[in-house]
């Protein structure tokens, strides 16, 4: 058998992508908790975590263009033909393991990012008419604020669905397909065989990610304090 057929550990997720992922897990969990519990202290934390989520999403949108190969949208966002073919392969029992996100997972990532972006932005203009209002409420009419608050609440439900779907998929692959998608997001490496085993594309420089994140955080800080 050719040497390329031997399984080998290759780099998949760089540390900025992994840090983004797990920071988002913690912040979204905190955001869900504080949003449902309410209370002045909790809502203060809710807004702060929302600002942090917005900065992370802005970072990921840029990193999806200039980051490491597997973190780029061009690597995992595929057309409907590829998505349908992959879905049929799952139903048919023929499972191909992708180095990065599979075609369905790629669109799941995009849906999650879009929902988080909508949630964070509408939160800046939202109000509950009791304790809390977003930092940009004063810049819009009450009617507009009410509209955006409604979108914020509806999108929260959509976000719950996306999160649940993501968790079901991750554990489904682990238990049914015997493919561990969690470990590579912790270690950055994935065991691959065949031609995919030689697909180690390396990582983009980490300092670029640090600069992008700093700029994203600066933009959010400027917006919420102006």
């Amino acid at each position: 058998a050719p040497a390329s057929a031997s399984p080998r550990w290759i780099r998949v997720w760089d540390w900025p992508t992994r840090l983004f992922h797990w920071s988002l897990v913690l912040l979204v969990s905190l955001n869900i908790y504080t949003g449902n519990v309410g209370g002045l202290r909790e809502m203060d934390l809710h807004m702060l975590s929302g600002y942090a989520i917005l900065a992370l999403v802005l970072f990921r949108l840029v990193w999806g263009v200039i980051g490491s190969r597997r973190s780029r949208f061009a690597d995992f966002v595929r057309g409907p033909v590829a998505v349908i073919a992959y879905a049929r392969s799952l139903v048919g029992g023929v499972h191909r393991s992708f180095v990065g996100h599979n075609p369905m997972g790629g669109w799941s990532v995009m849906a999650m990012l879009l929902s988080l972006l909508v949630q964070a932005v509408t939160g800046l203009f939202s109000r509950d008419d009791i304790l809390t209002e977003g930092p940009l409420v004063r810049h819009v009419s009450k009617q507009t604020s009410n509209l955006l608050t409604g979108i914020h609440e509806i999108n929260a439900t959509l976000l719950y669905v996306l999160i649940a779907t993501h968790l079901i998929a991750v554990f489904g692959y682990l238990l049914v397909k015997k493919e561990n998608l969690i470990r590579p997001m912790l270690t950055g490496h994935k065991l691959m065989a065949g031609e995919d085993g030689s697909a180690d594309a390396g990582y983009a420089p980490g300092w670029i990610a640090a600069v992008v994140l700093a700029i994203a955080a600066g933009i959010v800080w400027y917006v919420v304090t102006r």
Side-chain angles (χ1 to χ4, degrees):
S4 61
S6 301
R8 61 188 292 259
W9 292 98
I10 64 171
R11 289 172 291 186
V12 178
W13 305 122
D14 55 32
W15 69 260
T17 300
R18 285 178 282 141
L19 183 60
F20 159 82
H21 180 274
W22 296 112
S23 297
L24 200 62
V25 169
L26 294 175
L27 287 168
V28 169
S29 298
L30 175 62
N31 208 260
I32 291 173
Y33 170 77
T34 54
N36 284 283
V37 171
L40 186 58
R41 178 175 177 274
E42 284 77 12
M43 291 310 296
D44 285 343
L45 287 173
H46 185 78
M47 289 196 295
L48 288 174
S49 61
Y51 304 157
I53 289 170
L54 180 56
L56 283 175
V57 171
L58 292 178
F59 158 78
R60 186 65 182 89
L61 292 175
V62 175
W63 198 241
V65 177
I66 68 172
S68 304
R69 176 182 174 183
R70 301 304 173 189
S71 299
R72 295 186 182 186
F73 302 136
D75 184 74
F76 58 79
V77 177
R78 298 175 175 85
V81 173
V83 174
I84 294 172
Y86 182 74
R88 286 177 174 173
S89 73
L90 290 179
V91 175
V94 180
H95 173 232
R96 175 190 168 188
S97 179
F98 284 77
V99 178
H101 292 301
N102 63 59
M104 292 179 65
W107 281 106
S108 174
V109 169
M110 300 307 295
M112 188 86 72
L113 288 175
L114 177 60
S115 182
L116 286 168
L117 182 62
V118 169
Q119 195 68 2
V121 171
T122 56
L124 299 177
F125 300 91
S126 297
R127 65 201 308 161
D128 62 10
D129 293 322
I130 302 174
L131 291 173
T132 308
E133 62 179 31
L136 302 186
V137 165
R138 64 185 182 276
H139 296 295
V140 298
S141 66
K142 190 175 190 303
Q143 182 180 10
T144 300
S145 177
N146 288 341
L147 173 63
L148 295 174
T149 300
I151 295 174
H152 189 74
E153 294 172 352
I154 293 171
N155 187 67
T157 301
L158 173 61
L159 190 56
Y160 294 156
V161 172
L162 290 173
I163 292 171
T165 302
H166 177 72
L167 292 174
I168 291 171
V170 168
F171 287 103
Y173 272 84
L174 180 63
L175 299 175
V176 179
K177 301 295 184 180
K178 307 303 179 184
E179 181 177 355
N180 191 330
L181 302 177
I182 302 172
R183 183 168 55 195
M185 194 57 74
L186 287 168
T187 66
H189 293 76
K190 189 173 185 179
L191 188 63
M192 299 297 299
E195 293 182 2
D196 288 337
S198 60
D200 190 327
Y203 294 154
W207 67 267
I208 297 179
V211 171
V212 172
L213 180 58
I215 293 174
I219 291 173
V220 173
W221 175 84
Y222 174 78
V223 168
V224 301
T225 59
R226 57 182 303 214

